[in-house]
Amino acid sequence: MKEKIRSLSAKQKNEYDAQIAENLYALPVWQQAETIGITISRENEINTKPIIEKAWQEGKTVCVPKCDPQEKTMTFRAIRSFDQLESVYFGLQEPIVAMTEEVASRQIDVMIVPGVCFSKAGYRIGYGGGYYDRYLQHFWRPTISLAYSFQVVNHVPFEAHDIPVDMIVTNEKVMMCDE
């Protein structure tokens, strides 16, 4: 799947990313959200920076994850500018603790959950750390994944502790996930 994503031309990727963002902005859950949780994209992932900028323009609070690799947990911290980020392991950009404040999960209205591959039921294959599955065990608000349409397949392997997302927004459509 990663190879398929890498094979997109820059033009095609930009078009798909823009379509995904427009489909996201059309959702009532996006429009009503005051606080969103989202990752800072890297390399070949769907570009989340324009989505974050749109959220700021709309007066939303944007929270991004700060991982604790020792405990394999994460917290979300509010950022008001990309200057509040630092590059950490694997080139991930995370909030600078001294410049940001933690936001409790109950304060986040919608969580945008990353992944590499997704089933129509909302299960996902992520990047292998299990951070989101642990975090989502205590998160009760809507969850959305952003994906290129080809990243959504009929089935992905999952375990009892895996938590499916509620919706998948692709460049072609919005899918409600249910078993």
Side-chain angles (χ1 to χ4, degrees), residues 3-67:
E3 196 52 50
K4 206 168 183 178
I5 295 166
R6 273 194 290 275
S7 73
L8 287 172
S9 70
K11 180 179 184 288
Q12 190 72 73
K13 182 184 183 326
N14 289 339
E15 283 175 18
Y16 285 174
D17 288 1
Q19 290 164 338
I20 290 165
E22 288 307 314
N23 289 341
L24 175 66
Y25 306 148
L27 293 174
V29 69
W30 169 272
Q31 294 164 4
Q32 294 159 9
E34 292 177 19
T35 304
I36 64 163
I38 190 168
T39 56
I40 306 293
S41 58
R42 55 193 183 129
E43 297 166 10
N44 300 308
E45 296 172 348
I46 293 157
N47 188 358
T48 59
K49 287 189 173 173
I51 294 169
I52 292 167
E53 289 167 340
K54 172 84 166 171
W56 285 332
Q57 289 165 8
E58 294 180 1
K60 298 181 191 304
T61 299
V62 174
C63 306
V64 298
K66 175 71 181 163
C67 296

Side-chain angles (χ1 to χ4, degrees), residues 124-140:
R124 60 188 190 85
I125 294 175
Y127 293 92
Y131 290 90
Y132 272 89
D133 287 315
R134 278 187 281 287
Y135 190 88
L136 293 176
Q137 288 174 358
H138 308 286
F139 186 80
W140 313 112

